[in-house]
Amino acid sequence: GEAGFAPVQVSSQLTGRGGEPALAPNPAGADGGSLVVGDHGQPMIFEVQNVAFNPVRIASAVVQGANPLDFTITTDGCTARSIDADKSCTIETQFTPTGAGRRTASLVVSTDDGAYTTMLLSGDAHYEPHIAVADPTIVAGSRVTVVGAGFAPLTEVAVTWADGLGHPVTAATDWTGTLHVDLVVSLTERQGPRTLVGLSADGSAASVDVLILAPPRRVSPGSATWPGR
């Protein structure tokens, strides 16, 4: 409170654990590197040391934070164990990104009496798409099926020519990041070596080289190659 004119009194209830820390991690964090979405990274190993003067029992080890599903505890040598003073236990985690971009989480190890320590988990991820056609030699005036994989799930992909000619065709990927789209190659399409590009809404791109051939010449009864002449 305060003395004087119109005194004001403020109170607040504080909770927490005081005293010296019981656990110390080594290292305090680890980075899983840069991976393709869905790939598995190398194990990230942490030693959790009991820095108290008495044994402590580890109650839990959990991953939480922004992207908890991207980091898995693969080996837990701490939970349900009693750790003597100045001794340590080991926990291993693995980075398996479920989406693109910077991925972060925290590994939190807690004791039975409420002490805890936190280790930062991080990594980067990206999609690595590719597209293909059944036959890279395409006759102008025909239809070609373009197949793609490795794109982000449920996102739109525009399939078009790298030189900007022609008309793009847009299709949505399925939940596995694959797509099938039919592209009509017009009779007037520029012939020769060309490149088809698949560009997704998140900026991921893939390409495939093809060869456009001229359509076969039509034969009429007046042609020298007409049967019987």
Side-chain angles (χ1 to χ4, degrees):
E2 64 180 36
F5 179 75
V8 176
Q9 183 173 359
V10 178
S11 64
S12 177
Q13 181 178 357
L14 301 178
T15 60
R17 176 184 170 90
E20 297 295 323
L23 301 175
N26 181 30
D31 190 279
S34 180
L35 300 179
V36 175
V37 173
D39 283 357
H40 301 291
Q42 296 296 316
M44 295 182 286
I45 304 173
F46 297 92
E47 295 288 332
V48 180
Q49 183 182 11
N50 176 11
V51 294
F53 294 106
N54 55 281
V56 297
R57 183 175 173 81
I58 306 298
S60 64
V62 296
V63 177
Q64 58 190 37
N67 309 114
L69 298 180
D70 290 36
F71 302 89
T72 305
I73 298 175
T74 54
T75 301
D76 184 355
C78 294
T79 300
R81 286 188 56 193
S82 180
I83 311 299
D84 291 333
D86 202 34
K87 299 298 181 180
S88 61
C89 59
T90 301
I91 294 183
E92 293 186 10
T93 63
Q94 187 176 50
F95 178 40
T96 306
T98 62
R102 186 66 172 169
R103 317 295 288 180
T104 61
S106 296
L107 172 61
V108 181
V109 178
S110 304
T111 66
D112 279 346
D113 56 358
Y116 67 91
T117 190
T118 301
M119 289 140 278
L120 178 63
L121 307 174
S122 60
D124 293 285
H126 58 278
Y127 289 103
E128 198 170 80
H130 60 272
I131 59 174
V133 293
D135 188 346
T137 302
I138 305 170
V139 177
S142 62
R143 183 187 304 267
V144 59
T145 299
V146 181
V147 180
F151 290 94
L154 308 177
T155 188
E156 288 196 342
V157 176
V159 178
T160 186
W161 299 105
D163 54 20
L165 300 177
H167 300 285
V169 177
T170 301
T173 60
D174 62 17
W175 66 274
T176 67
T178 63
L179 67 89
H180 294 76
V181 61
D182 288 335
L183 180 70
V184 176
V185 182
S186 69
L187 288 170
T188 59
E189 197 69 67
R190 184 174 68 80
Q191 300 164 24
R194 304 284 297 280
T195 300
L196 276 172
V197 176
L199 182 62
S200 71
D202 66 358
S204 301
S207 64
V208 60
D209 293 329
V210 299
L211 178 64
I212 305 297
L213 299 181
R217 298 182 63 182
R218 294 182 178 180
V219 178
S220 65
S223 302
T225 57
W226 183 258
R229 293 183 64 89

